[in-house]
Amino acid sequence: MHSCLLVWAAHLRLSASSPAAPALCSASEEPMAQPLCTLLLLLAALAGTQAWSPKEEDRVIPGGIYDVDPNDEWVQRALHFAISEYNKATEDEYYRRPLQVLRAREQVVAGTNYFLDVELGRTTCTKSQPNLDTCAFQEEPELQEKQLCSFEINEVLWEDRISLMNSRCQDA
């Protein structure tokens, strides 16, 4: 058993993932050496995976909230839905649309939650007009009425369901 431990310890300093490592343990002639060598191999493998694992900031924690690209197709879909719901709920006759997405975050749960912080601008189009996505923004300062809004959208793709869970807006 001592020969396996000594050779294995010396080998660990060189490389824990060498193809020769299993041969070191199988070469031992003592009956109790095999389980100990197997344990040492498992520990070395675990140490190797820890050394090669991604950086902490790259790890995904289930249910965690992460920043995402505001231009991502799914984020844009959620944003479009939130803006549509927002415009339905407001009494303003003018349509609002995003000036910029300040922050976009995502949480994967039973579906996906999107958390969007958006600066909205008031357009020159009334809500009854078609093609509201291309409306120009108001240029006169007293008509601009910019707002900062936070939207929480839940989408369950496999159920074809999307909901505006929460929205808060304030004048910018």
Side-chain angles (χ1 to χ4, degrees):
M1 180 163 80
H2 293 290
S3 63
C4 174
L5 290 175
L6 291 175
V7 172
W8 182 246
H11 183 72
L12 270 179
R13 281 184 235 126
L14 297 175
S15 170
S17 60
S18 170
L24 290 172
C25 284
S26 62
S28 177
E29 296 176 8
E30 296 184 40
M32 292 301 293
Q34 190 64 35
L36 183 57
C37 284
T38 302
L39 177 63
L40 287 172
L41 283 172
L42 289 173
L43 288 173
L46 179 62
T49 60
Q50 291 299 314
W52 291 94
S53 66
K55 294 181 224 166
E56 187 171 333
E57 61 269 14
D58 293 338
R59 292 184 190 149
V60 175
I61 299 169
I65 300 174
Y66 298 95
D67 288 328
V68 291
D69 180 1
N71 297 314
D72 175 81
E73 172 187 355
W74 297 102
V75 173
Q76 286 295 308
R77 175 182 156 133
L79 175 62
H80 184 76
F81 175 78
I83 298 300
S84 175
E85 293 297 300
Y86 170 85
N87 278 305
K88 287 179 197 173
T90 62
E91 295 180 12
D92 191 348
E93 66 178 293
Y94 292 98
Y95 181 74
R96 291 183 190 265
R97 65 184 184 93
L99 286 164
Q100 66 175 327
V101 176
L102 303 170
R103 186 174 187 192
R105 296 175 296 150
E106 175 181 278
Q107 178 185 36
V108 178
V109 288
T112 304
N113 290 328
Y114 296 97
F115 303 92
L116 307 175
D117 296 327
V118 183
E119 182 180 20
L120 296 181
R122 193 177 194 208
T123 68
T124 58
C125 297
T126 60
K127 292 179 185 177
S128 61
Q129 292 178 271
N131 299 324
L132 298 174
D133 291 334
T134 58
C135 291
F137 289 104
Q138 295 280 356
E139 292 184 20
E140 296 179 40
E142 65 274 1
L143 295 176
Q144 286 180 347
E145 296 184 20
K146 293 180 183 177
Q147 288 191 309
L148 296 176
C149 296
S150 293
F151 298 111
E152 180 182 339
I153 303 101
N154 174 263
E155 182 172 32
V156 182
L157 196 59
W158 58 91
E159 292 179 2
D160 195 31
R161 181 172 48 90
I162 188 166
S163 309
L164 181 61
M165 306 302 289
N166 195 5
S167 68
R168 292 180 311 280
C169 296
Q170 63 186 24
D171 293 338

